[in-house]
Amino acid sequence: MTTPPPGLRERKKQATREALREAALRLAVERGPDQVRVEDIAEAAGVSPRTYNNYFASREQAIVSAVTADREARIAAAVTARTTGARLADAVTDAVVEQYTNTGEHEQRALLLITTRTALRDAFLDTTADIEPPLTVVIAERLGDTGAHTARVLAASVAAAVRIALEAWLQPTGNTEAAASFGSGGLVVPSGSLPDQLRAALSPLAPAFDAAERHTQP
C-alpha cells in the first residue's frame, strides 16, 4: 500500500518546523544556548512566538530537534525494510544503532551543544519516548492481530533501553575545569562506543522478541 504524498497544509507545517529547527541550532551555535530566546528563534524563522509554541515547548526542544528530527519514523521505516526473513530483534537493534550513530556534520554540531548543557541533555533523552508509537505499529504488523498489546510493551521497552544507553554514554566527566569553561551544565565527554552501548542495552530484549515471534507462528 502506497502512502499518499502530504497535502499543502502538511508541507507548510513541515517547512515551518524545519525552519524553526534550523534557526534554533544556528542561533545556539552563534550565541550559545543560554543566550537564545524563543522570541529570537521565532523571528529568525519568520513566525510569531505563538506559532513557535505550536511546534516546540521550549528552546531546548527546538535545538535538540535539529539532531533528532524524524528519527523515530526513520527507525520504524528501517525495521519495516529489514523484517522480511530477518529476526525481529536483530531488525530493531540494527535500525536503532544505525539511526542513532549515522550522523552528519549538521547533527554533530547539535550533539556538541547537547553535551555542554544539562537542559539540552535532558531534552535529548526525553526524545527517546517518541520511538514507542511508530515502532509499536511496525511490530504489531509483524506479529499480527494478536500482537497489539505485546507490540506496545516491546516498543516501550526499546525506548527505555535506548534512554538507558544514552544516559550511560552521556555521563558527566566530573572535570571542574571543563565545567567552568562550558557553564553550569558542564562538558560531557561521551563514554565508550555508542553502538556498543545501544546493543548492550537492547540485548536483554531479544528473548522477548523471539518469544513473541514464536507465538505468532502457526
Side-chain angles (χ1 to χ4, degrees):
M1 179 175 160
T2 303
T3 302
L8 178 59
R9 178 180 175 82
E10 187 58 35
R11 292 199 300 272
K12 285 183 176 180
K13 288 174 64 177
Q14 182 62 26
T16 299
R17 186 181 297 276
E18 290 176 0
L20 289 168
R21 289 170 181 159
E22 294 296 327
L25 179 58
R26 176 173 57 80
L27 292 175
V29 169
E30 292 175 355
R31 306 178 186 180
D34 295 339
Q35 304 304 315
V36 179
R37 303 176 305 159
V38 165
E39 291 80 3
D40 299 329
I41 300 172
E43 181 180 0
V47 301
S48 69
R50 182 176 179 180
T51 297
Y52 175 97
N53 291 330
N54 290 333
Y55 291 87
F56 300 105
S58 67
R59 67 182 177 188
E60 287 79 16
Q61 279 191 1
I63 295 169
V64 165
S65 182
V67 69
T68 63
D70 305 319
R71 177 180 282 158
E72 64 278 0
R74 297 197 305 270
I75 289 173
V79 172
T80 298
R82 299 177 188 187
T83 51
T84 303
R87 183 179 174 222
L88 183 55
D90 292 338
V92 170
T93 298
D94 290 346
V96 168
V97 171
E98 177 186 345
Q99 294 304 323
Y100 269 91
T101 60
N102 187 18
T103 57
E105 182 180 350
H106 182 75
E107 290 82 2
Q108 289 294 335
R109 285 192 302 161
L111 279 173
L112 180 60
L113 285 175
I114 288 167
T115 63
T116 67
R117 296 294 187 278
T118 299
L120 288 174
R121 294 199 296 271
D122 290 345
F124 180 62
L125 292 172
D126 287 344
T127 62
T128 58
D130 296 335
I131 295 171
E132 181 184 341
L135 189 56
T136 295
V137 173
V138 171
I139 295 173
E141 289 175 351
R142 174 70 173 260
L143 299 181
D145 294 339
T146 60
H149 179 72
T150 300
R152 185 176 179 186
V153 171
L154 290 172
S157 299
V158 170
V162 171
R163 183 180 180 109
I164 289 169
L166 293 176
E167 286 175 346
W169 188 60
L170 290 173
Q171 285 291 339
T173 63
N175 186 325
T176 55
E177 181 178 349
S181 299
F182 285 87
S184 60
L187 171 65
V188 170
V189 177
S191 174
S193 163
L194 179 55
D196 289 346
Q197 295 274 15
L198 289 167
R199 292 188 183 279
L202 290 166
S203 63
L205 302 181
F209 274 103
D210 291 342
E213 284 196 286
R214 286 195 301 270
H215 185 71
T216 62
Q217 294 174 354

